[in-house]
Amino acid sequence: MQWSQEEEERAKDKAAENSLVKVQLEDQDKYEKEASKYWNEFYKTHKNNFFKDRNWLFLEFPEILPEKKREQLKTEEKSSESIKINSTSCFPHQDFPGMLEEGEEYWKNNYGEDSTSVQGQIYNKKQAKSVTDNPQGKNCREQLGELESFPGSGAAYRVLEVGCGAGNSVFPILKVLCNTPGTFLYCCDFASGAVELVKSHSSYNSAWCFAFVHDVCDDALPYPFPDEILDVILLVFVLSAIHPDRMQRVVNRLAKLLKPGGMLLFRDYGRYDTSQLRFRKGHCLSENFYVRGDGTRVYFFTKDEVWNMFNLAGLTEVQNLVDRRLQVNRKKKVKMQRVWIQSKFRKPLLLSLSSPEETTKRHPYG
């Protein structure tokens, strides 16, 4: 849907109004330092009954899958309006638990490991660190030949989901990848409780997936695999939970994990989404950054901000759009004007030699 100028102005006024009273600085520090605690409490409370599975991923982000698998699914589902996983899944048929992406009740209540066995191999973080610490990813392929003890080392196509939560993207993806030889899915989350929910799920299979706890804001913390091996990074409703001052460093680090030609797929909250306008005074941390009633935080982006972050990380735009939709709860007679930013950025096959100043001049949004 498109907004009228009047609707846009009304949304701006509402956001300005609910941002007048800021959260006190000492409390802001608390929400930053204790972020993992609040997210662990969130998953302890909601377990895996909060979000519904994101089967829409394959419509919006077909790049998650290898090209041959994409073509296969396209052929199989040619006459279907939405992609549905075919019956040859290696997992038993079941409905995954979940509610709406952000439930009405949730809004109502809130806006007012060193070694492990993986694929029969022993993975040790100290070994992985010797590769991850390689400054420019030099000789990465040679080191991979020598070191084959990291999870997914035998795969040819690798996907990482950052901020996997209870697995509402993980398991729909695994349903497809488990029938695609040579593929592997990594997934991580800041909250150990979320990772435990994924690993304890009946469909979790370490032959195809490795779930691990990771703080993407900690630059010194190594990933359990080397740089430049990922084909796809999925970043969905994650970056918004991070303090705005730390976002650029997070994106820069993630970009290093991608292979040349690899894709970063992004979807998150857009400026003036209904959830932003529903905040009451006293929940604003800084401009367009809020704290919910449960202590978790959320930022609302513009597509310019998203373009700038990924461009500064050396990635090139494939898609960057504002997705505005009208959601209607007919039973409760409630209308919600949702706003999301959806983007796809690719790591160039050859690094650009342009200066930051030249890059800024080429900004497609002026």
Side-chain angles (χ1 to χ4, degrees):
M1 61 169 290
Q2 296 297 320
W3 282 18
S4 66
Q5 186 174 350
E6 183 182 351
E7 287 175 315
E8 185 89 22
E9 289 300 321
R10 190 160 55 240
K12 286 181 182 180
D13 291 343
K14 183 65 177 176
E17 181 185 340
N18 70 20
S19 301
L20 288 173
V21 180
K22 300 291 193 296
V23 175
Q24 293 185 356
L25 290 177
E26 55 266 33
D27 289 329
Q28 293 202 31
D29 290 340
K30 178 187 70 173
Y31 293 128
E32 176 69 22
K33 292 174 182 177
E34 300 180 12
S36 61
K37 184 191 80 171
Y38 291 112
W39 279 108
N40 273 313
E41 288 176 352
F42 170 88
Y43 288 109
K44 184 178 179 180
T45 300
H46 299 283
K47 297 191 182 295
N48 52 359
N49 298 314
F50 183 67
F51 299 111
K52 64 179 181 179
D53 282 335
R54 294 167 174 162
N55 292 305
W56 54 264
L57 284 172
F58 303 106
L59 287 173
E60 301 295 342
F61 296 138
E63 297 86 354
I64 293 171
L65 304 174
E67 190 172 354
K68 287 184 180 179
K69 191 65 178 181
R70 267 179 261 163
E71 293 303 317
Q72 179 187 334
L73 285 177
K74 193 181 293 183
T75 301
E76 290 173 355
E77 306 295 337
K78 203 168 185 180
S79 61
S80 179
E81 287 185 8
S82 62
I83 293 177
K84 297 180 180 179
I85 310 304
N86 64 47
S87 60
T88 59
S89 172
C90 63
F91 296 131
H93 291 286
Q94 59 185 316
D95 292 322
F96 293 98
M99 293 165 57
L100 293 176
E101 192 76 50
E102 293 92 19
E104 192 74 20
E105 289 302 312
Y106 182 68
W107 274 359
K108 189 185 295 182
N109 294 333
N110 281 284
Y111 293 89
E113 302 152 307
D114 280 340
S115 297
T116 183
S117 175
V118 180
Q119 291 185 293
Q121 302 169 339
I122 300 298
Y123 156 64
N124 186 282
K125 286 185 178 178
K126 292 180 181 177
Q127 290 176 304
K129 194 175 190 301
S130 66
V131 180
T132 309
D133 281 350
N134 192 357
Q136 303 299 329
K138 295 177 181 177
N139 302 319
C140 188
R141 298 285 173 252
E142 294 176 17
Q143 292 192 43
L144 281 174
E146 298 172 7
L147 177 62
E148 295 185 348
S149 58
F150 68 90
S153 57
Y157 190 88
R158 303 180 183 94
V159 178
L160 166 66
E161 185 192 7
V162 180
C164 61
N168 305 94
S169 295
V170 170
F171 298 113
I173 295 172
L174 272 181
K175 273 190 171 183
V176 178
L177 291 190
C178 70
N179 288 319
T180 311
T183 61
F184 197 83
L185 174 64
Y186 303 98
C187 58
C188 66
D189 201 282
F190 185 41
S192 58
V195 174
E196 285 306 311
L197 284 173
V198 171
K199 295 172 77 171
S200 63
H201 196 285
S202 59
S203 294
Y204 181 76
N205 189 331
S206 61
W208 301 95
C209 181
F210 182 64
F212 59 102
V213 178
H214 192 86
D215 180 0
V216 294
C217 293
D218 187 349
D219 293 340
L221 189 64
Y223 283 83
F225 46 79
D227 287 353
E228 294 195 330
I229 70 159
L230 298 178
D231 294 271
V232 174
I233 293 176
L234 188 63
L235 195 62
V236 176
F237 297 105
V238 176
L239 203 59
S240 55
I242 296 171
H243 194 288
D245 292 346
R246 307 180 79 171
M247 290 179 185
Q248 186 64 59
R249 292 178 67 179
V250 170
V251 173
N252 291 348
R253 182 69 188 95
L254 291 176
K256 293 179 181 179
L257 301 176
L258 285 171
K259 291 178 180 178
M263 292 278 286
L264 193 151
L265 308 175
F266 174 88
R267 187 173 176 88
D268 221 316
Y269 298 101
R271 191 69 48 84
Y272 310 134
D273 176 67
T274 292
S275 60
Q276 178 178 10
L277 305 184
R278 284 189 172 188
F279 277 105
R280 301 189 187 99
K281 291 179 182 178
H283 283 258
C284 185
L285 298 163
S286 59
E287 192 172 359
N288 302 301
F289 190 42
Y290 299 80
V291 62
R292 302 182 180 98
D294 61 3
T296 62
R297 299 170 300 173
V298 59
Y299 184 83
F300 297 87
F301 296 93
T302 66
K303 69 177 185 179
D304 279 16
E305 291 174 330
V306 172
W307 188 91
N308 280 323
M309 275 194 295
F310 292 114
N311 184 61
L312 286 172
L315 305 181
T316 58
E317 178 192 328
V318 175
Q319 179 191 75
N320 191 29
L321 55 84
V322 179
D323 185 359
R324 301 180 191 269
R325 304 200 181 195
L326 179 65
Q327 290 185 344
V328 181
N329 186 323
R330 290 181 175 83
K331 185 177 181 180
K332 295 184 177 181
K333 297 181 180 179
V334 174
K335 292 183 179 181
M336 296 173 285
Q337 293 185 321
R338 306 311 309 271
V339 184
W340 299 298
I341 306 296
Q342 180 166 302
S343 311
K344 304 175 184 181
F345 286 82
R346 179 180 284 115
K347 187 170 186 175
L349 292 171
L350 293 174
L351 293 177
S352 171
L353 298 179
S354 301
S355 66
E357 292 78 11
E358 291 172 322
T359 303
T360 302
K361 289 177 184 177
R362 295 199 303 271
H363 193 307
Y365 310 115

